[in-house]
Amino acid sequence: MEQKRYGHFDDQHREYVITDPQTPWPWINYLGNEDFFSLISNTAGGYSFYKDAKFRRITRYRYNNVPMDNGGRYFYIKDGDTVWNPGWKPCKTPLDFYECRHGMSYTRIMGRKNGVEASVLFFVPLKKWAEVQKLTLKNESKEVKQLKLFSFEEWCLWNAATDMENFQRNFSTGEVEIEGSTIYHKTEYRERRNHYAFYHVNAPIQGFDTDRETFVGLYNEFADPQAVMEGKPRNSHAHGWSPIASHYIEVTLQPGESKDFVFLLGYIENEQDEKFEAPQVINKKKAHALIAELDTTEKVDKAFAALCEYWDALLNIYKVKTGNDKLDRMVNIWNQYQCMVTFNFSRSASFFESGVGRGMGFRDSNQDLVGFVHQIPPRARQRIIDIASTQFPDGGCYHQYQPLTKRGNNDIGGGFNDDPCWLIFGTVAYIKETGDFSILDEMVPFDNQPGTEVTLFEHLKISMDHVIKNLGPHMLPLIGRADWNDCLNLNCFSWDPNESFQTTENVSEGTKAESLMIAGLFVVTGKDYVALCKKIGKADEAARMQQAVDAMIEAVKKHGWDGEWYLRAYDFYGRKIGSNECEEAKIFIESQGWCTMAEIGAEDGMVAKSLDSCKKYLECEHGMVLNNPAFTKYIYEYGEISSYPEGYKENAGIFCHNNPWVIIGECIAGRGNDAWSHYAKILPSYVEEKYQTLHKVEPYVNCQMVAGKDAFKPGEGKNSWLTGTAAWMWYTVSEFILGIKPDYDGIRIDPCLPETASDYTVCRKFREAEYEITIHPNGAQKGVRSITLDGQPVNGTVIPYSAGKHVVEVTM
Ligand code: BGC
Ligand code: NOJ
């Protein structure tokens, strides 16, 4: 039987085309590239915010609602007695045709009903604080069409957290203004806010509504708002309750005629002394100016063309041609796109992250960096400075910070002992890409306190030292609250369901809990740090750290090896975790990944054995699980990891993020066939069919977790979009599989491929140079035999950097 499909890739347009609105889960996209952002589902659900999904939420969205994905920007078209939406929802009137095209920072949704075609292009123009919704209505019938068009947005009262809970206040604060075809949302503007939002349309309106209850009806739904069903706007003016914005337009279309309407959802900030133009009347000058920039089809089309050019340029920096469409489309389009989204959103706002819980993660953002540093180095630079500014003088750091204020988040605090190492990981990636060593001299404060500034290099140094100063009885790194695995809480010891696993540390005094994951991470980043020190002439510091790295390697070989794989940790009492001696969870993936990347004990066969054990115990049909066997009961010495049912999340889920660690380990070991087979299992385009029914989440991006082999429903995907998987998949394929590695003095060529790989070409822009690199694998999995640069032989595997266009031939 033919499997049901909901969509397909359109590589030429860099789009994923959804052809059935009833996807197994809302399949979303992201709009916006800098300050103003929106989430949009394939039925136009979602919301917008300015910079911070918690503190500046512009439109309201209800998570985990019934029905799913309730709320968004909706256009209701009333054609006689039929009311429908171009994106099918919320009315769910069956359409004659439906299509949603998610592209690079834009989404186009089209519906047809009874001879009318409605197509909406959604995007956030570059450098603008607004979402454009260009609606085109076309009469494809032979009769004149008299349509009643209603737009709809619901305002969020700015703070998305209190918006959901503080109703005793919220129901009395809402305020709006209406001027011509623009509806202004000005709740709390009278007091401390200096920002408001507006919803505009570039056409005269014949009515409007701003009060939700009046428009929808207290016991109606978005599917049957009473104003729409009756075809009559109420011209309501909201005072308190729930302010909305709805325009009403009467549209007459001759046969064959089409009309455009540009709707604009904008955000404005005013200076304190320029807030009002008259008592109680907001100063609309900036709003008028913004509207004037985007009030015709021509202007909007130009802004859209500029956005497309922006994406062309971003995606032109690394381009591969292997002849394998499935690989090429992930490398050239979707993987890079997902990396930019994780850069912009960290883990804050998706259809699984409510936007109120988490800001930017310290470790998350450093890892995201390797996914986009080649595209926008200046913003990567700024990101590194922002992250480092939340560090403490002892090298520890805030686990998260708020994007709006860039301040460390006190609710979660610090104490995650892997965090400092990631700063080295991110900074080294930045310098290798750009050659910009000056970043190391940048003065960066601690905890954002003016007057505490030291150089960024000093921050790197104290980051390394933080590990060295926090070693346990086996001379392995103390884990603190947790390492990369937020759920391995070895000092938490909680029997109280009202305590947070993330922030509770009941027994840190005298702890012996140590992490082999941090040990491996320390060796990998330590080697990078040593190389960097040598590069900038700090030989003593290089020697000092080399000793620490060597000592760590010895400690792992002595206390971190279990016979067939690396241990995962020692618990509070100094007992082994992730050992054959354990009853459950005998092996974990994180330490296999990091210790093989660090090549610890390679000479003694440890790396090969560890990688083999991953294949034997962790691998399953959908990828490698995090640990095996899964925990079947709660172990209070271990914390949240054992709180998850078997096969989900950190308890033996396929946590896609750390599969690439093992894949890189395979690449470093030169095992190209194995690396590729692991990679292909979690490469979305390779398993696109599985996404349609089993994984359920968006087939064009990686998700954080696929239910593992021990789960009730193995293969189900969750937590799509915002995951470190994006950057790690990119890093893996671009640098380790295809083998194009930026280095201080040029590009290192070191592919690791399956034997079946054919010749391929990578076009790589690098600083002021452009390389066209063709690789001839000749059936080899690893090992570059010779390289020529513009016809001349190159010594070694690094193509020395020089500006201009170059042609490189590589024979393996
Ligand atoms: C999740 C982790 C996440 C942590 C912090 C846990 O419940 O399983 O993936 O990192 O919460 O938000
Ligand atoms: C998701 C978090 O964002 C990340 O920081 C963490 O490492 C993983 N979960 C694993 O727990």
Side-chain angles (χ1 to χ4, degrees), residues 20 51 107 110 145 151 155 216 225 266 282 320 444 461 519 560 597 658 684 697 729 737 778:
D20 180 339
K51 278 192 182 167
T107 286
M110 187 208 271
K145 287 278 183 183
S151 68
W155 302 112
V216 178
I282 60 177
V320 72
V444 182
K461 180 162 175 265
M597 279 194 265
N658 47 37
V697 285
M729 287 295 272
I737 295 178
N778 299 317

Side-chain angles (χ1 to χ4, degrees), residues 40-54:
I40 182 164
S41 73
N42 58 308
T43 57
Y47 59 93
S48 303
F49 64 90
Y50 171 77
K51 278 192 182 167
D52 193 311
K54 178 176 178 181

Side-chain angles (χ1 to χ4, degrees), residues 545-593:
M545 202 51 66
Q546 185 64 53
Q547 266 185 5
V549 168
D550 292 343
M552 188 69 77
I553 292 173
E554 285 316 305
V556 173
K557 283 179 22 183
K558 194 150 167 223
H559 301 292
W561 182 248
D562 198 55
E564 299 292 318
W565 56 80
Y566 303 96
L567 293 177
R568 174 63 176 88
Y570 284 95
D571 73 6
F572 179 82
Y573 302 104
R575 297 178 306 207
K576 291 176 186 171
I577 297 182
S579 160
N580 205 16
E581 295 164 19
C582 300
E583 206 179 307
E584 296 181 332
K586 290 166 178 286
I587 171 172
F588 282 74
I589 198 169
E590 302 99 324
S591 43
Q592 314 317 317

